Amino acid sequence: MALFKWIGMGDLRKPATNEPWSSGSEKYFGLENALYFCKPFRECVVNFPNGPNDANGTGENKANEETSTSNGLSEDTLFGALKDLFWKISSQKKRTGVMAPNGFISKLKKENELFRSTMHQDAHEFLNYILNAVAENSKSSVNGASINESEESGISADGSSSGSSENTSNTFSSKTTWVHQLFEGTLTNETKCLTCETITSRDDPFLDLSIDIEQNSSVTSCLRQFSASEMLVHQNKFFCDVCCGLQEAEKSMKIKKLPNVLALHLKRFKYQEKLQKYIKLSYRVVFPFELRLFNTCDDIKDPDRLYELYAICVHIGSGPYHGHYVTLVKSMGQWLLFDDENVETVDESEIHKYFGDLPATGSGYVLFYQACDLDLSSLGLPYSVWANNVASSSSSDFEISAEGAAAAESHPIDIQLTPNTTNGVNDNGNNNTTANNEELKREHRQTPVREPSFSERWILRKNNSDKRKSHVDQESKDNDENTHEKTPSHEKEKSSWFGSSKSNNKSKEKDKDKDKDEKKTLSSLESLFEDSSSKKEKKEEKKKKNKENKKMDKLTGTNGFKSVTL
Amino acid sequence: MRKTAKRKVSYVITHNKDDHGHLLGINSLALDTTTFGSSDKPEGILYSAGRDGVINSWDLHLPLRGRTIPKYNYNHLNDIDEKKRNVKDDDNIPLHLFNEDKNWEIDEDASSSQPTPKSTFRQSFQSHTDWVNDIILCHNKEALISCSSDRTMKLWFPHKTSTPCTIGYHTDYIKALAYASGPGWVASGGFDRKIALWDIKECRLAPSTSSSSGNIFGGLSERDFQPIVTIAETSPKSSVYALACNPSGSVLVSGSPEKVIKVWDPKSGKRITKLSGHTDNIRAILISDDGELILSGSSDTTIKLWSLSAQRCINTFTTHSDSIWSLYSDHPRLKVFYAGAKDGLVTRTDYSEYEEIDDGECVAICKENAGIVKLVALDNKYIWTATCSSSIKRWQDIPLRKDRIKLSTSSPTSSTSQNAFQIPSSSLIKLTSTAVTSSYPSVVSSPQLKTATTDSEVATIYSVAIGDGHSDIDNEDPEPVREIADHIIEGQHGLIKYVILNNRRNILTLDHNGEVTLWDIIKCVKVKVFGKCNIDEIAQEINTPESIPNWCSVDTRIGALTVHLDESKCFDAEMYADEAGLTGDVDIREDQRINLGKWVLRYLFANFTQAEIQTYEAIQQQRSLMQQQRQQPGSEHRSLFSTQINVNIPPQAATSTTCTSPTASSHNLANSNANPPMPQSPTTPLAAFTTGPFTAPATTSSQQPDYFSGPHHLNSSATSPTTPPEY
């Protein structure tokens, strides 16, 4: 298809800096950024295969020792390279910087000859390729992995439980990997015979949706067009098996199962007969920040699922064969523009420039929407990760938690902590319990304070449309409004926590508390909205959070955590 | 305009010739209660048209008597004058006279005293080569017009011995017909998104012509048929699924998947208006006699009543829970109508007695096993339903409310179950009015209520049917009153699927009953019956590893095995004579090969060629006689030898005779059973395939060099099978 140029992008933790993070050595990184910032994707990548592999080696578990490198299984696959890259990014001490994805790209070139040339490549093709490759690799690595800490963690998101990595039958049967669980949806092709009115349907799974576009349209209307019904009449009648003859029919494609992360690919190219080549369609296609899909089947269980835009892969260029990609990613509520090695903040009000009609800024090409009610626990991720992202869930429980229902909150957490500890590292037992108590307390207070969920922010935004000037201020303000507890002791705890966490940094042991994970993540998130004075602390927290996420040895009975209600 | 058709010969291998039922589902019914039967009064004839392309007619043997009291209260109409029912083309005739069947009604005394007789077969004709989609009776029930998926519209006079003749064409399936008896036109609409109006006023059988399919239209040749008016649509969704017009021909309405009802002016062909409101395909439309009210049934499960003058929907009936496929009414204002749905439920809604539609009653009469494609009712006594199964069921209807009252009050002893009629509440369906006038209180002050007798049964009916009782009625799944049909006109099991085996001679078929049969399409016989099993498995088992070119195509569209021979491909396949299954003392060369296409064609036309030969020989004889006579003086019969006799015998006939002489002996074969149908007479079923102007290609009508007598044939003339294969 059309070939677009890839772009390297940077990764940015802190909103306020302009430090370049990742070098745009060459290509693809823009899209990778979008994937990186897709938290569930990142977590899964980083946490694959069997749980977080110790960043620095041995854990309490003997099993952990068996894991060879920091990346767990030393895979020489594309997925391995991707993991490496993500891990490197997240384990950076600094929040900002530049990272050259050389390793990954060389691996990519080796694997796929399409990307081997120096020609510009297409973002969507890359996305498709990488998702499929990662899925393949995950599947095969799970299948081929030797006995591992899969015992405890049972994290493998594709459902194969501990010890079953050698039991290939188990894993072969489940074709879905975590990649599929994140990105896969199902389209159903329904054909209705107009004479006997029987509906025959055929299901097609998809990892991303490619839709045709029209000038001056919106994504919603393009989606509607995508699912519009086609009449099979005249010469191309439909052979109905019920009528046993050719009859008129109405065919339509509807979405049967909504994916957790929707990658919308706008087909911005068209083949022109006269020119005998493809041209780029720079149509203005507006896309919303929140999206609801209307072209769903009647009997779908959650038709009003709300999606939030979190990344846009933009193509700049007049033709389909060359160009430049930049990526817009929303992190912590702040939109960032990654342009090779440059990262800068972007105001939300500027997003409209990427609708496509302004050639200078480029046109939105692949849009990433994440479901607001994404249930990470179902992906089999470690609790910490999941809890981390629980903040992102669109529950109105924010109110409940904000109500300081510490007691209410703590209970579920309590319960889960226990199995955690039992399953968890023995050595850590003590640490766990003490940490538990400590952190429990902190948990109480910190739980209410968390990143507002997507939908909440939407509500907030609606209410406070004027205050859009600075995101950070805005959100911290809002957060403050909603936070019932802004304890002075907060800081103290944090510092103490940092203290411990600093030590955790070095020691492999303490950090590996799931519980700590949650709190750290929560606190780190919340701290984002604190004054910038605690920037440093935040940095640490962030670092910690990511480290924590990788350390999966405690995150055994994650299954137990799936039932946490908030 | 028809483009030059490709030359193609098709033949149908029939089975079950003695049974008369339809092979596949039935698409349309038409009722005739005016044609006199054997006695001095009509007994009712039911015409049925099926997916097998056959139109059957059945004698109903119903006791009928002349109607004295008008069936429905026409406030504005005069008494019916029975004698005037033959008048046709005069626009001044009052409306009620157009519905001629109102002149005969079921003789109630007779019908109640004895069980209704079974219907018997009367006539049958294979009119079409594909599904017949709709039929209507016109010209005082003397003529039957049918439209089909084979894109033709045919006219048939069932009471004469003529064959149906084509009177109209479309470029895609023709789905619906509507007849305006006043002006005498027929409207046809189909999947080519066109509605055409055809003038059939001149449709009289010219007395001079008899049984041949020649010029029925006294002077007009078939090719001259053009519609009076054509209405064309463009959107891909505007295929016509339903058509209706009022008897005076002032209004024409159509329904399509576009979900709107379009109202047309038949004279100009322009659209008057469109009525939107339905949310799915419109499958059935009725229009009141005065053209003011329109009743439409749609796949969105609702029936809507529209007022054309107000151009809005007056009422929506949500009495069904599945797509409405057919509507029927003989009430001039559509106040009593029957509806048949996809789930097989037949209901009758009656609000003829009241002002408010809500006060009416809707009762679930019966339920079929499959969707009701068509239904007709007679006098609220009987209902006939047609579905995708090949049997027609007759159901006993339920008297209208006013009649029930009459019955119960008139009969002294209400204990006779025949008269007193109680409709269980589970069969009644709530009529909710979504009209503007829903603000009316639902209390009904029906006069009949006050006359409640001591008969508790009658009282029960009312308390349940009206007013507050509505809330108790469960609209979900009403139970039909009639659980079993009164009588079934059985159909047969047609073929629904086929598998061509590798030897391109044997075909496996699956019929509606699940039976698998093996056929030989050259011998045209059933080779073996496998019974109920999986057709694909059998195919795998008995398939031979051969590779023979595709010399024919097969389909089972009409429920029987039809083989199509296409001019360009039919001579591509050959087989060795010794493998062909010939028996007897056939002198076959070692590596003699038989061309399958030629073989089949020769035997197909064996009778025809035989007849031609005989004619030719007769002419030759005459010629020689003439010559003899000429030598005698005073012959004036020279003129006899002019080209009066129009037999197309080109000079090559001489050679052809030698070649075709073997077929003479094969004539015997042709007569054995289960043969490809021979053109014995134009009126036999399936004759339409081999005779008639629009079926067989022109080649076979003459003895000009055809593939039989062509050079390649001549070469192998010695090797062509001289003795018939055994059957």
Side-chain angles (χ1 to χ4, degrees), chain A residues 192-198 229 231 233-235 237 239 242-250, chain B residues 51 131 172-173 175 191-193 236-237 239 241 257 280-281 283 299 323 325 342 496 556-557:
Chain A
K192 178 166 131 175
C193 168
L194 288 181
T195 304
C196 60
E197 298 186 2
T198 350
S229 60
M231 297 297 289
V233 292
H234 298 309
Q235 302 293 61
K237 288 197 177 68
F239 186 86
V242 174
C243 301
C244 304
L246 290 169
Q247 298 297 327
E248 289 194 334
E250 197 173 333
Chain B
R51 292 183 181 180
W131 290 17
D172 206 335
Y173 299 2
K175 202 69 171 154
F191 286 178
D192 58 351
R193 306 179 223 136
K237 275 194 173 188
S239 302
Y241 274 79
D280 207 336
N281 193 3
R283 300 287 299 253
S299 296
S323 308
W325 280 0
K342 181 180 163 193
I496 54 173
T556 50
R557 265 189 326 220

Side-chain angles (χ1 to χ4, degrees), chain B residues 578-702:
Chain B
D578 44 10
E579 288 172 8
L582 306 171
T583 56
D585 39 40
V586 182
D587 192 22
I588 306 172
R589 243 181 33 221
E590 179 73 19
D591 55 347
Q592 177 179 325
R593 294 211 308 259
I594 302 175
N595 185 303
L596 295 178
K598 274 195 239 168
W599 193 14
V600 166
L601 278 171
R602 169 181 293 167
Y603 284 113
L604 267 181
F605 293 99
N607 275 359
F608 177 76
T609 48
Q610 179 65 16
E612 289 287 315
I613 292 164
Q614 284 174 345
T615 323
Y616 174 70
E617 282 170 355
I619 293 168
Q620 290 290 60
Q621 262 188 342
Q622 266 191 330
R623 216 183 266 175
S624 56
L625 267 175
M626 286 293 116
Q627 282 185 334
Q628 282 170 13
Q629 280 182 0
R630 215 180 286 150
Q631 277 140 26
Q632 294 160 21
S635 82
E636 299 120 34
H637 300 288
R638 207 185 306 177
S639 55
L640 271 179
F641 210 97
S642 58
T643 52
Q644 230 175 14
I645 307 159
N646 286 329
V647 178
N648 287 341
I649 304 181
Q652 288 95 336
T655 47
S656 64
T657 27
T658 45
C659 298
T660 53
S661 51
T663 64
S665 54
S666 71
H667 181 75
N668 303 324
L669 290 172
N671 290 329
S672 53
N673 60 344
N675 236 22
M678 287 301 123
Q680 325 246 330
S681 93
T683 52
T684 54
L686 305 171
F689 281 111
T690 51
T691 55
F694 308 118
T695 49
T699 42
T700 56
S701 62
S702 70

Side-chain angles (χ1 to χ4, degrees), chain A residues 259-408:
Chain A
N260 285 319
V261 177
L262 176 68
L264 266 183
H265 169 229
L266 306 178
K267 285 157 84 169
R268 281 190 179 277
F269 36 81
K270 190 159 96 169
Y271 186 74
Q272 287 287 61
E273 275 293 331
K274 291 179 266 186
L275 305 168
Q276 291 273 306
K277 65 170 186 182
Y278 283 94
I279 57 156
K280 177 180 172 183
L281 305 171
S282 293
Y283 294 157
R284 180 188 158 85
V285 180
V286 312
F287 44 85
F289 288 107
E290 270 98 18
L291 181 70
R292 273 203 170 92
L293 294 173
F294 294 102
N295 51 346
T296 52
C297 283
D298 298 327
D299 52 353
I300 204 174
K301 60 176 162 74
D302 191 8
D304 292 327
R305 201 166 188 201
L306 187 66
Y307 287 88
E308 171 147 8
L309 181 68
Y310 75 92
I312 310 165
C313 188
V314 176
H315 177 263
I316 304 170
S318 56
Y321 299 103
H322 302 277
H324 184 71
Y325 278 114
V326 300
T327 297
L328 286 147
V329 179
K330 184 156 76 173
S331 170
M332 304 296 168
Q334 166 73 50
W335 280 96
L336 308 162
L337 173 69
F338 291 82
D339 182 351
D340 282 347
E341 58 274 5
N342 298 319
V343 185
E344 42 186 65
T345 55
V346 173
D347 199 64
E348 211 164 65
S349 55
E350 305 285 305
I351 300 287
H352 73 274
K353 290 188 187 154
Y354 298 97
F355 287 156
D357 47 353
L358 299 169
T361 44
S363 28
Y365 180 52
V366 187
L367 311 170
F368 289 84
Y369 283 89
Q370 184 169 326
C372 297
D373 57 0
L374 173 54
D375 182 15
L376 280 183
S377 59
S378 64
L379 296 172
L381 287 175
Y383 176 55
S384 64
V385 175
W386 169 82
N388 180 18
N389 289 287
V390 110
S392 322
S393 69
S394 63
S395 60
S396 53
D397 304 332
F398 188 69
E399 298 298 311
I400 303 167
S401 59
E403 231 71 74

